[in-house]
Every structure is written in C-alpha cells, then in structure tokens.
Amino acid sequence: MNVLEVDGLTVVLPGGSHRPLVDGIALRIGAGEVVGLVGESGSGKSVTARSALGLFPARSRVTGSVRVAGTEVVGLAGEALRRLRAEQAAMIFQDPRASINPLRRVGDFLTEAVRTNRGWARARSRDRVVELLGEVGIADPGAAMRRYPHQFSGGMLQRVMIAAALAVDPMLLLADEPTTALDVSTQAEIVAILLRLQAERGMGMLFVTHDLELAASICHRIAVMYAGRIVEEQPADRLFRAPRHPYTQGLLAATPTLPSATGGAVQASGRLVPISGRPLSLTDTPPGCAFAPRCPRAIALCTATAPDLHSSGAERVACHRADESVGAGG
Amino acid sequence: MSLEAQGLCKRFGPLLAVDHVSFSVADGGSLGLVGESGSGKTTIARIVAGLERADGGSVRVDGTDRGVHVRGRAARLARARQVQMVFQDPYLSLDPRLTTVETLTEVIALHDGGTRVARRERVDELLDQVGLGDREAAALPRQLSGGQRQRVAIARALAARPRLLILDEAVAALDVSIQAQILNLLADIRTQTGIGYLFVSHDLAVVRYVTDHVAVMYRGRVVERGQTAAVLAAPRHPYTQLLLASVPRPGWDPTAVAQARRALQANNASEEPS
C-alpha cells in the first residue's frame, strides 16, 4: 500500500508572472519505504514535502492530487486537515530550535500532542512520552522532560522533535533536511535513529535533502528536482552509479568527495567540475527544459520544448537526450 | 611565513575555547582549520583577523606582531590590509545599499587612494578576477544570487591586496553546483596572487579542494595536523577518523558511526580532569 501518492501536483503563487513553485509532480511512497527528494535551494523539494501536510503557501493555486494513506489532502480543511496532521503524517524540520516553543518545558511540549490528539490522561501521556524519549536515545527521559529547549544541544533537541513526530504513530514521516543544521558526526546519530524507527514501525519516509551522497546512502529510491520539476527518479544505488539526467550527472561531478570513498574512482587533481551558470529564478520562465541554459548536452529541441518525465521500469527521466546519455555520467 | 600563530589561548567564562594552539601558513600556502561547532576554529579565525583578543599567544603576519598596538592612520591601514576575511553569509556581510562597484571602490579608495580612473581600472581587474560581468557590477546585493554575492565578498577582500585571506565557512551556505564554482575560483586566485589562505570549515571533503595542509580541531585543541591529502587518506587520531567516517557515501553505516562517536565521548569524559 502507498502511504503517499502525489499526482500532477502544481502550486502557483498569486500574481501570474512566476513559473509554478512545483509543476506536475508525481511521486509514490510505499509503506516501509524511504524515498529521497534531492535538489538545490528553490527546486521545490520542501514545497512538495509540505504538500503532504496540506501546508501550501498562502493564496497559492493548487491543482493535482496528494493522497496520504488514501486521504486526499488538496482541498482538505478544518477538522479533517487537523486529523491528517495529528494521525497520519508528521514532519521533522531542519532547525529544531525554530520549531519548538522555547518558553515551555520539553515534557509539556511532548505530552501536549498526545493529550490533545489522543485525549489521554496526564499520567498515561507521560508514560508514553518517557517511552518515546527512550526510543530516540535520550538517556534520562524523566529529567529531560523537566528541561527547557535551550538546555539541549542541537542533536539532542532534534531527537526530541523526532519523538514529537512519532507521538502520533504516523504512517508517513516527512523529514525536511533534518540533519543539515547539525554537526557531521551528530548527523550520523540522527540518521541512524530515524532509519531504525522507520524500519521498526514500517513507516513510509520522505527524506528531503540537498546532499545527494546522504540520500544515496540511506534511501531506497531518489527523485531529483530542478526548478520545480522532478527531472529524474531511480533506485538510490543506480542513480549514483548511472545517473541519466545531465543535471544529476552535473551534481555528482560538482560534489566534493573524500579520497577514501568506496564508490567510483576519484580524480587525483582535486579539481571539481562545476555546473556553469546559475539556477533559474522564479521569474525565469523558459519555454523549454529549465536546465537547458546550463546543460552541456543541450540541443535546439531542449530550449524549444520541455521534456516529459518518461518512465521505464523503476526509473523516470525527463530529458530529450536521456537515451543517448546512458553511461556518459560525469 | 605569511601567518604564524604561537600558543593561542582564549577563555570564555569557564570554557577554554582555544587551548594553546599553534600553526602557520606558508607564503601562498593554504591551511584548513577543520572541526565541528564549538571546536574553537572560528574563534581562532577571529583572533587572527583581530576581531577577538587572545588571552595568550601571538599572531604574526609577514613577521609583524598583530598583538602590538599601532598608532596613526597609515599604520592602522597597513595592518588592516594584511589580513582580510570572507564570511559564510555574504548577504549579512555586504552593505545592502551599495552596488558591487561602490563596495569595491570604497575599499580601493581607502587603501590605494589613486585617481578615479585608476580606481575604476582596479575595480574592473577585481571583477574580472572573480568572474563577475557588467550586470553584476551595477547590481545591489539583493539582486545577486548567493554565489554571485560570495564572489563580491571575495573581490572586496582581494581589493585590499591582503597577505592572508581568512575564509570562514565561505562556501558552506552555497548550493553544490555553485560551491564547486567558488572552490575552483579560490584555487585559481591563490595560484595567481600567492595570497595565503586560512580556510575554516566543518567539511572535510571541501577542505580537500582548497588546502594543502590541514589542522583538525577538537575541543579547543589541534588533535591532528599534516598534509591534507595524507590526513584524509590515513587519519591517525580517533576524532579525525570519526569525522571522516561521518561523511555519507555509498555503503555508509550511520549506526557504526554513532557508536564510534559515543565511544570517543566516553573516552574523553573519563580522561579529562574537567
């Protein structure tokens, strides 16, 4: 069963002079599956992730369909929307400090979710929260509940946020750059916790990140976004070995790597291959492929018409020249 | 030596943020200062730049001691131009009301003086060096992309003709495709100008592309140093090994990294007199 089904999702800001924030997104996440959504700033990955909670930019025009465990989210409002966010999907954000009330004790913050959504009594909620804090690896849950957010390190606070997200037993976990603000060795801890809990509970997880290597090492499947569209989707290992879209190839070539990396040869010169030019701004609305101005393989067709996302087997790619570029990865 | 730091110490209240740290940057060399938050790397960068006063130790640039007070405008300017700094977020470090040309002209007028024509020539030279065109030259910071703004910040630092450039997480806020452009730009500028770099970063993979030596910091101390390639290929200190293992890559095992981290922390807790 799919816990998330997105079809033809298009979000347009009011005004009309902009290209859509996201354009024709289609995405599936099965129960127990970890799917990565990778792209640079402004590519639309966060807009896509937030759509699963019915969080759309103010006054934007939304078309298409987003179903979480069968429930249609587009157009959902009031009590039904509240129930979706309380019971079916939960989100973890990049900066835990920006998403928790600094004036309230962590215990109050955590029990509130259980008490309001489940209607449990104080003692039962407390027991549940202690259990959750234990699951995310906080050593003394009782003491942790009495402390304030500023008394936690970034990594510890992100564990608290994970506990809060899991308090409602969601079927879909949305993780929006959950480790980007953390130190690199802390990142490993948080990722390990997320993956363990995701597997134990059989949740579907959408992992949003700008870090292709991170996505490749933890996700089953990865969708790459550029300028509001999914340009490529493949099983994680294959995307890394044999990227089909020139943008994905460019991203991989531009990513600094360590010499001891096990996958692939690393050039000795220590010079990166950047992608020329810069990402499209929202006001740029080229008729053709959004990546064409930066693409080393672009031909006349690319600047004239936008390529569709073609599926074959487990992979999807939106490139006029995808069939020629097999194995030509950078 | 373009930079020699000896026995730097800095205490913030009960915290010894920098604990007897010494290092040097050869003429035209590039030293990476690597560590996680709280390791003391930014405090060191700020001490070298003169934004923070060390409790102990000395910083010498081109043989002159930067801890000694100087008097008079000329001496202060000479001192200021020796070391320039590029910060993580150019949006916060550029004046939002000045165009690129105005930003650069201000620095050139201060340090070089010269005629209007000479200043404009120097501006063009700098724009050329960092790869900015006419549109970007006339633009305000908000009209530029993140990568372009960082190019302006680099040009502004170069405008003073420094001996040493401090780059504090200078590419950390940039998207990967743009980050690669800036890393290559930094490598080119060092080859062309012979300016020394002190490159402060949390990112070992990035350090590999801009530095030839690296010092790894942990809790205010340098725990490992050496040639960047050698340290990255065969790290000796457990903390360096942990940092390297923490970088995601195919086959990466976050659970094993998390265990190694806890073991290291437990080790340190038992060793330290607190």
Side-chain angles (χ1 to χ4, degrees):
Chain A
M1 190 198 67
N2 288 327
V3 292
L4 180 68
E5 289 180 349
V6 181
D7 278 300
L9 175 70
T10 301
V11 179
V12 186
L13 283 180
S17 59
H18 303 306
R19 66 174 163 81
L21 289 179
V22 296
D23 190 0
I25 301 292
L27 194 67
R28 298 272 181 281
I29 300 179
E33 195 180 22
V34 182
V35 175
L37 200 55
V38 174
E40 298 183 290
S41 332
S43 61
K45 54 193 194 301
S46 288
V47 174
T48 304
R50 284 163 181 242
S51 74
L53 289 176
L55 281 170
F56 296 104
R59 303 193 313 284
S60 58
R61 195 156 44 78
V62 181
T63 51
S65 160
V66 179
R67 285 179 307 279
V68 173
T71 309
E72 177 60 56
V73 177
V74 177
L76 206 62
E79 178 62 17
L81 183 61
R82 205 188 65 77
R83 290 193 75 81
L84 167 89
R85 293 173 184 171
E87 292 168 6
Q88 286 167 329
M91 191 152 188
I92 300 160
F93 296 92
Q94 173 172 342
D95 183 358
R97 272 183 222 289
S99 34
I100 186 169
N101 185 342
L103 299 177
R104 299 187 66 204
R105 293 177 196 273
V106 159
D108 294 342
F109 165 74
L110 288 169
T111 44
E112 180 186 34
V114 188
R115 295 186 66 192
T116 43
N117 294 322
R118 293 267 172 88
W120 287 3
R122 188 182 295 268
R124 189 176 173 196
S125 308
R126 191 182 182 286
D127 291 347
R128 175 70 183 131
V129 166
V130 166
E131 188 188 346
L132 282 167
L133 287 174
E135 282 188 49
V136 296
I138 287 182
D140 184 353
M145 287 177 72
R146 287 191 296 277
R147 286 193 300 221
Y148 289 95
H150 75 269
Q151 293 169 304
F152 289 81
S153 67
M156 282 297 159
L157 204 56
Q158 194 62 298
R159 291 169 194 238
V160 170
M161 302 313 287
I162 294 172
L166 299 182
V168 294
D169 288 318
M171 305 172 79
L172 174 65
L173 187 60
L174 306 153
D176 189 356
E177 304 262 12
T179 59
T180 307
L182 305 176
D183 274 329
V184 60
S185 67
T186 314
Q187 164 170 289
E189 296 232 24
I190 296 298
V191 166
I193 290 168
L194 275 176
L195 289 179
R196 173 170 56 77
L197 294 171
Q198 176 272 331
E200 279 171 13
R201 292 158 175 252
M203 287 183 293
M205 179 154 87
L206 182 65
F207 196 94
V208 177
T209 179
H210 66 284
D211 188 337
L212 199 45
E213 308 239 1
L214 175 61
S217 54
I218 64 172
C219 298
H220 301 126
R221 212 151 33 85
I222 297 176
V224 180
M225 291 191 72
Y226 187 79
R229 291 178 178 217
I230 291 178
V231 296
E232 174 165 11
E233 182 185 323
Q234 286 210 62
D237 53 336
R238 236 186 318 147
L239 183 89
F240 218 75
R241 271 202 327 270
R244 298 281 309 276
H245 197 281
Y247 176 61
T248 317
Q249 293 165 0
L251 266 190
L252 282 168
T255 304
T257 53
L258 289 170
S260 52
T262 45
V266 176
Q267 75 279 27
S269 74
R271 207 169 162 85
L272 295 161
V273 186
I275 301 176
S276 66
R278 63 192 176 89
L280 283 192
S281 79
L282 261 188
T283 48
D284 297 331
T285 50
C289 171
F291 188 61
R294 308 176 76 186
C295 182
R297 305 172 55 81
I299 51 175
L301 176 64
C302 301
T303 49
T305 53
D308 292 329
L309 192 59
H310 284 293
S311 309
S312 65
E315 68 179 47
R316 299 192 289 164
V317 60
C319 177
H320 289 304
R321 305 191 65 189
D323 291 331
E324 307 161 44
S325 64
V326 178
Chain B
M1 287 292 159
S2 69
L3 171 67
E4 258 187 298
Q6 280 292 335
L8 292 180
C9 289
K10 178 73 188 178
R11 182 178 284 280
F12 295 109
L15 176 78
L16 191 53
V18 178
D19 186 2
H20 292 90
V21 171
S22 303
F23 57 88
S24 61
V25 179
D27 281 329
S30 177
L31 175 73
L33 211 50
V34 176
E36 295 185 294
S37 27
S39 62
K41 58 190 193 304
T42 291
T43 303
I44 288 176
R46 292 174 61 85
I47 290 171
V48 173
L51 297 171
E52 201 84 63
R53 186 174 287 278
D55 297 333
S58 70
V59 176
R60 301 176 82 84
V61 174
D62 258 355
T64 36
D65 191 336
R66 290 186 55 89
V68 176
H69 275 281
V70 292
R71 286 183 179 280
R73 179 184 160 87
R76 275 188 288 115
L77 276 177
R79 200 177 117 104
R81 74 185 309 164
Q82 279 186 326
V83 177
Q84 291 286 310
M85 192 157 178
V86 176
F87 298 90
Q88 172 169 352
D89 187 350
Y91 211 58
L92 297 177
S93 59
L94 292 173
D95 188 329
R97 295 160 303 182
L98 295 187
T99 66
T100 304
V101 171
E102 288 165 348
T103 296
L104 299 179
T105 307
E106 191 177 32
V107 181
I108 295 164
L110 187 66
H111 285 286
D112 283 7
T115 62
R116 262 185 63 170
V117 177
R119 291 202 291 259
R120 180 66 221 203
E121 273 175 14
R122 177 73 177 135
V123 168
D124 289 341
E125 189 183 309
L126 287 164
L127 290 172
D128 207 37
Q129 203 166 9
V130 299
L132 291 172
D134 289 343
R135 190 197 80 84
E136 292 83 15
L140 294 169
R142 66 180 159 81
Q143 295 164 323
L144 298 171
S145 69
Q148 288 167 341
R149 280 198 288 268
Q150 200 57 298
R151 287 176 195 264
V152 176
I154 293 168
R156 181 181 61 177
L158 296 176
R161 302 182 202 271
R163 294 289 297 135
L164 180 79
L165 201 55
I166 301 174
L167 299 139
D168 188 2
E169 299 282 8
V171 298
L174 303 175
D175 276 319
V176 164
S177 69
I178 304 300
Q179 177 179 284
Q181 294 175 7
I182 301 296
L183 288 174
N184 285 350
L185 175 68
L186 288 172
D188 292 341
I189 288 173
R190 187 158 73 96
T191 316
Q192 290 159 10
T193 62
I195 296 173
Y197 287 176
L198 182 62
F199 189 87
V200 178
S201 178
H202 70 285
D203 190 333
L204 283 170
V206 161
V207 162
R208 177 173 173 228
Y209 294 86
V210 214
T211 69
D212 33 48
H213 286 79
V214 67
V216 180
M217 294 206 56
Y218 182 57
R219 298 185 176 187
R221 294 183 196 164
V222 173
V223 295
E224 179 159 2
R225 67 176 88 222
Q227 292 199 333
T228 307
V231 170
L232 294 186
R236 303 228 298 268
H237 192 277
Y239 180 68
T240 317
Q241 290 166 355
L242 172 69
L243 268 188
L244 275 162
S246 298
V247 179
R249 69 195 83 169
W252 184 59
D253 182 359
T255 312
V257 175
Q259 275 165 3
R261 178 168 182 261
R262 281 194 292 275
L264 185 74
Q265 281 174 341
N267 235 340
N268 270 287
S270 62
E271 273 174 22
E272 275 177 20
S274 87

